[in-house]
Amino acid sequence: MEKKLTLEHLKLATLDSQGLTQNTPFGTGKDAVLHALEHLGYVQIDTLSMVERAHHHTLWTRIPDFRADYLEELVEERKIFEYWFHAASYLPMQDFRYVLPQMQTIKRGESRYYNADSKVMKYVTDAIRNEGPKRARDFENESHKAGTWWNWKPAKLALERLFMQGDLMISGRSGMQKTYDLAERVLPSSIDSTEPTPFELAEYLVKTNLRAYGFTTIKQITHLRKGNDLKKNVNEVLQTMLEEDRISKVKVDGGNSVFVQNDLLEKTFDLTDSNVWLLSPFDNSIIHRDRIKQIFDFDFRLECYTPKEKRQYGYFCLPILFGNQFIGRVDCKAHRKEKKFELIHLHIENDTIDPEVWLTPFAETLKLFAIFNGCESLVLTKVSPSKLGSIVKRVLSSKSKLKK
């Protein structure tokens, strides 16, 4: 017989699992970055820079003293690595073996992406083997012809294919500029590099999702991963965990059934002093859009890829989480040269909460985020609904000049 769970409890359980009910859920400093990655499973890398990039933003949200060089140092220390989860990501080195199935799929040519000339691939591999780690810019485009994919030059295509099939790994970064080296020189000898069985891969995905989100579904676990065999194995893992009483299948008020970690069913959560979080659009907690719509009744879509005339909210909106409710989103931009952080359009969509309750913690979070983005002043351009404009401007005016 299925257990029942209130929607409010499920919200708190998943936010707690995501590290969004405490100020320092993973501790502080560089160790906290590693702990966060090992708990969350991955953090997505993205190149968009309207505000601080997604991988930095996501970690800063959970680690207030986060610095970008922590990630670079952990890569150099071989404690984390870059590869693909559902997108380009940082992952804990301890999980390396679970990316091997995808690497092998690409190596066998079963993916229509990452096409590269075999002669160029050999040239790139030999150059790195003989001369040491290299960046894409270190290779000259001798043919002076652009590549066929994203207009990349042939050596860049070769680097990306060799990386995706596991012959090369990223040994370091300077901003978004990657340095590649032979995998055998990057991968620590202590790391298990045996390819997991399909069942072991399913078990890893199930456990990672449950640990990071508190609850899960088969659809969420297999997000962007193809194959009926994977779904079958995932279902088998979940059924085994149910039989062993490690998880429960729970009917959520007004929704479908989900699989929940047992320790979260009776756990209490203290949100007396509710925090406000400004989340990256690529934050782990928001990335499964259907899940957020179902559990939080928040319909979020990133509109930077939508034609301007069809955008409803703005180019690069950040979801605003207050306690266990998404109260709106803000389209914003860090003008780094002017050191000015602009709220292009603040959209408040929950009118059931008195603004006086959330505005002060929102203003404080905004101040800290602007400083994190290297800005020294705040500018508010537009608020919706317009009736909130005066009170929002009054509260934010006290934070308009920022001090570290």
Side-chain angles (χ1 to χ4, degrees):
M1 182 177 179
E2 286 190 9
K3 300 178 182 180
K4 290 187 177 181
L5 190 67
T6 66
L7 197 57
E8 292 305 305
H9 190 90
L10 188 63
K11 289 179 182 178
L12 290 170
T14 193
L15 291 174
D16 189 66
S17 297
Q18 274 288 301
L20 295 176
T21 60
Q22 305 173 51
N23 289 322
T24 55
F26 302 109
T28 58
K30 185 167 66 175
D31 287 344
V33 176
L34 181 58
H35 294 158
L37 280 165
E38 289 177 343
H39 178 83
L40 298 172
Y42 77 98
V43 167
Q44 184 171 336
I45 301 169
D46 197 80
T47 59
L48 293 172
S49 59
M50 294 290 287
V51 298
E52 187 60 66
R53 288 187 172 94
H55 40 295
H56 298 155
H57 184 174
T58 297
L59 289 165
W60 174 84
T61 298
R62 296 159 176 82
I63 306 166
D65 65 344
F66 171 80
R67 299 202 318 258
D69 56 5
Y70 288 156
L71 279 172
E72 296 167 9
E73 290 172 14
L74 287 168
V75 169
E76 292 171 359
E77 293 167 8
R78 309 306 187 233
K79 293 179 180 177
I80 65 175
F81 72 105
E82 292 188 37
Y83 195 65
W84 209 259
F85 195 76
H86 71 271
S89 303
Y90 286 106
L91 301 99
M93 189 66 79
Q94 66 182 23
D95 292 345
F96 175 79
R97 67 187 295 247
Y98 298 105
V99 304
L100 289 170
Q102 184 170 351
M103 287 179 173
Q104 291 302 315
T105 295
I106 294 169
K107 198 163 193 172
R108 290 192 297 264
E110 296 173 13
S111 171
R112 63 188 179 89
Y113 300 108
Y114 312 111
N115 293 321
D117 187 284
S118 59
K119 292 181 180 178
V120 180
M121 289 171 63
K122 184 179 186 306
Y123 164 72
V124 166
T125 302
D126 289 345
I128 292 175
R129 185 182 304 280
N130 296 327
E131 302 170 21
K134 289 186 178 293
R135 300 164 298 176
R137 69 192 334 178
D138 295 326
F139 292 93
E140 292 183 1
N141 185 7
E142 297 178 357
S143 68
H144 302 289
K145 294 180 180 179
T148 57
W149 188 47
W150 284 7
N151 211 27
W152 283 353
K153 59 186 179 182
K156 177 58 180 173
L157 286 171
L159 281 169
E160 195 67 12
R161 170 64 185 264
L162 290 164
F163 165 70
M164 288 301 297
Q165 69 182 33
D167 293 325
L168 299 180
M169 292 181 70
I170 293 170
S171 60
R173 265 185 186 264
S174 177
M176 296 306 291
Q177 185 71 235
K178 297 177 282 191
T179 300
Y180 298 85
D181 199 358
L182 300 179
E184 63 204 53
R185 296 200 295 229
V186 176
L187 192 64
S189 59
S190 60
I191 293 298
D192 185 354
S193 58
T194 57
E195 186 174 351
T197 65
F199 186 82
E200 286 177 324
L201 177 61
E203 191 172 39
Y204 158 74
L205 293 173
V206 169
K207 290 180 177 179
T208 298
N209 270 267
L210 285 169
R211 182 181 66 245
Y213 296 101
F215 79 93
T216 194
T217 63
I218 293 177
K219 181 180 179 180
Q220 183 176 324
I221 295 168
T222 57
H223 178 63
L224 298 180
R225 296 175 185 271
K226 299 178 180 179
N228 291 326
D229 286 344
L230 177 59
K231 290 183 179 180
K232 178 182 177 183
N233 286 325
V234 164
N235 185 62
E236 186 176 340
V237 171
L238 289 168
Q239 294 306 315
T240 299
M241 294 179 77
L242 282 171
E243 292 169 6
E244 295 173 350
D245 200 29
R246 295 157 64 191
I247 61 173
S248 296
K249 191 173 184 180
V250 174
K251 179 73 174 180
V252 182
D253 290 349
N256 298 322
S257 297
V258 297
F259 299 95
V260 183
Q261 292 189 114
N262 282 342
D263 62 338
L264 293 177
L265 293 175
E266 305 300 329
K267 186 172 180 177
T268 57
F269 308 93
D270 184 12
L271 278 182
T272 303
D273 297 319
S274 294
N275 289 317
V276 171
W277 311 101
L278 285 175
L279 300 177
S280 166
F282 302 100
D283 193 283
N284 299 52
S285 65
I286 198 83
I287 202 66
H288 297 286
R289 313 303 194 202
D290 292 344
R291 172 181 171 276
I292 293 299
K293 174 63 178 174
Q294 177 191 357
I295 303 301
F296 292 91
D297 193 26
F298 184 62
D299 190 7
F300 181 74
R301 295 289 183 273
L302 183 60
E303 296 183 312
C304 61
Y305 306 112
T306 302
K308 185 175 182 179
E309 64 276 9
K310 294 184 178 180
R311 291 177 198 150
Q312 183 178 359
Y313 296 103
Y315 182 83
F316 199 77
C317 282
L318 310 183
I320 305 170
L321 176 65
F322 174 61
N324 67 341
Q325 300 180 67
F326 285 92
I327 61 172
R329 66 200 84 197
V330 57
D331 185 27
C332 51
K333 181 177 181 179
H335 300 273
R336 295 177 179 86
K337 288 184 179 180
E338 298 88 349
K339 295 188 175 182
K340 177 181 71 176
F341 193 90
E342 181 185 7
L343 281 71
I344 299 168
H345 196 164
L346 172 63
H347 303 264
I348 299 302
E349 299 156 53
N350 188 323
D351 58 3
T352 63
I353 306 174
D354 185 347
E356 296 284 1
V357 176
W358 58 262
L359 258 175
T360 297
F362 171 71
E364 186 59 32
T365 297
L366 187 60
K367 168 190 171 182
L368 294 173
F369 187 60
I371 292 172
F372 177 60
N373 277 270
C375 296
E376 296 178 353
S377 64
L378 284 174
V379 177
L380 175 63
T381 302
K382 186 177 180 180
V383 180
S384 291
S386 57
K387 65 181 180 181
L388 293 178
S390 59
I391 185 173
V392 172
K393 288 178 181 178
R394 173 172 59 80
V395 174
L396 290 186
S397 64
S398 64
K399 308 292 182 182
S400 59
K401 297 296 183 180
L402 309 178
K403 294 181 180 180
K404 295 185 179 180

